[in-house]
Amino acid sequence: MSFSNTDTGDKPADPYKEQNKNEPSLKEKVQDLVAFMEKCKFAMMTTRIGSSGLLVSRCMALAAKEGGGIDLLFHTNTESGKTDDLKSDPQINIAFLNSSGEWASVSGEAIITTDRDTIRKYYSPALKAWVGDLGDGKHDGGPEDPRIGMIAVKAVTATYAITNQSFLSRSLEVTKGMVTGSAPNVNMLRELSEEELQECELTAISS
């Protein structure tokens, strides 16, 4: 089901997308996405609340990457609301944004893992500040604390926009667009389909 409010005939209804869509090789698309996510470090994780069906977003620090860099891992307190959300609906979105307006959106499915080997591998002492030490010798914020788990996000699709232009160049493009009515060419807008991400993951596994 789609929405439309008008008919533009043979002209593009979304000139911005038409002007900025960029299709390099799959390798370049993936490498640039991975590099951008690494630079951002923090992301907004969107889940669906099971009791109401409403969406909720939380700021999360990227802990690690797997699957060629496109599958994302985040630390979590297993007793938090987001784990409840994901138990009822594993579909998830991870969104990155920087101060220049570059952004990335990764949609996928999440699993909550409490595998201690994985948690020890990616454990950070900073986690103790977030979950605390309850003083019972078990819930101490260390790598063996059963409250510390990980959310593993398997990417299904991704869309992102980055730029290699300066702020001044982009501003001039926008100004020109305001005068001429033509869409500014300010970003490299890229999409990664489910098939492309599957191909990327298979390549990572075999390499």
Side-chain angles (χ1 to χ4, degrees), residues 84-105:
D84 292 337
D85 297 347
L86 292 171
K87 183 177 180 181
S88 63
D89 185 351
Q91 294 188 50
I92 195 169
N93 180 268
I94 307 296
F96 296 85
L97 177 69
N98 69 14
S99 59
S100 298
E102 297 174 299
W103 57 270
S105 172

Side-chain angles (χ1 to χ4, degrees), residues 2-21:
S2 61
F3 174 85
S4 177
N5 195 46
T6 189
D7 182 359
T8 60
D10 60 355
K11 296 182 179 179
D14 188 352
Y16 165 78
K17 184 175 182 179
E18 190 76 15
Q19 180 77 320
N20 289 272
K21 193 168 184 180

Side-chain angles (χ1 to χ4, degrees), residues 19 42 52 54 60 69 89 92 97 106 110 112 120 127 168 176 180 200:
Q19 180 77 320
F42 292 96
S52 66
L54 296 174
M60 301 286 288
D89 185 351
I92 195 169
L97 177 69
V106 178
I112 303 161
R120 291 186 200 104
L127 291 169
L168 178 60
K176 184 177 75 174
T180 65
C200 174

Side-chain angles (χ1 to χ4, degrees), residues 30-48:
V30 171
Q31 287 179 338
D32 285 349
L33 172 61
V34 171
F36 177 70
M37 294 189 296
E38 285 179 344
K39 284 193 298 182
C40 286
K41 180 62 177 175
F42 292 96
M44 295 301 290
M45 173 183 289
T46 302
T47 58
R48 187 178 299 278

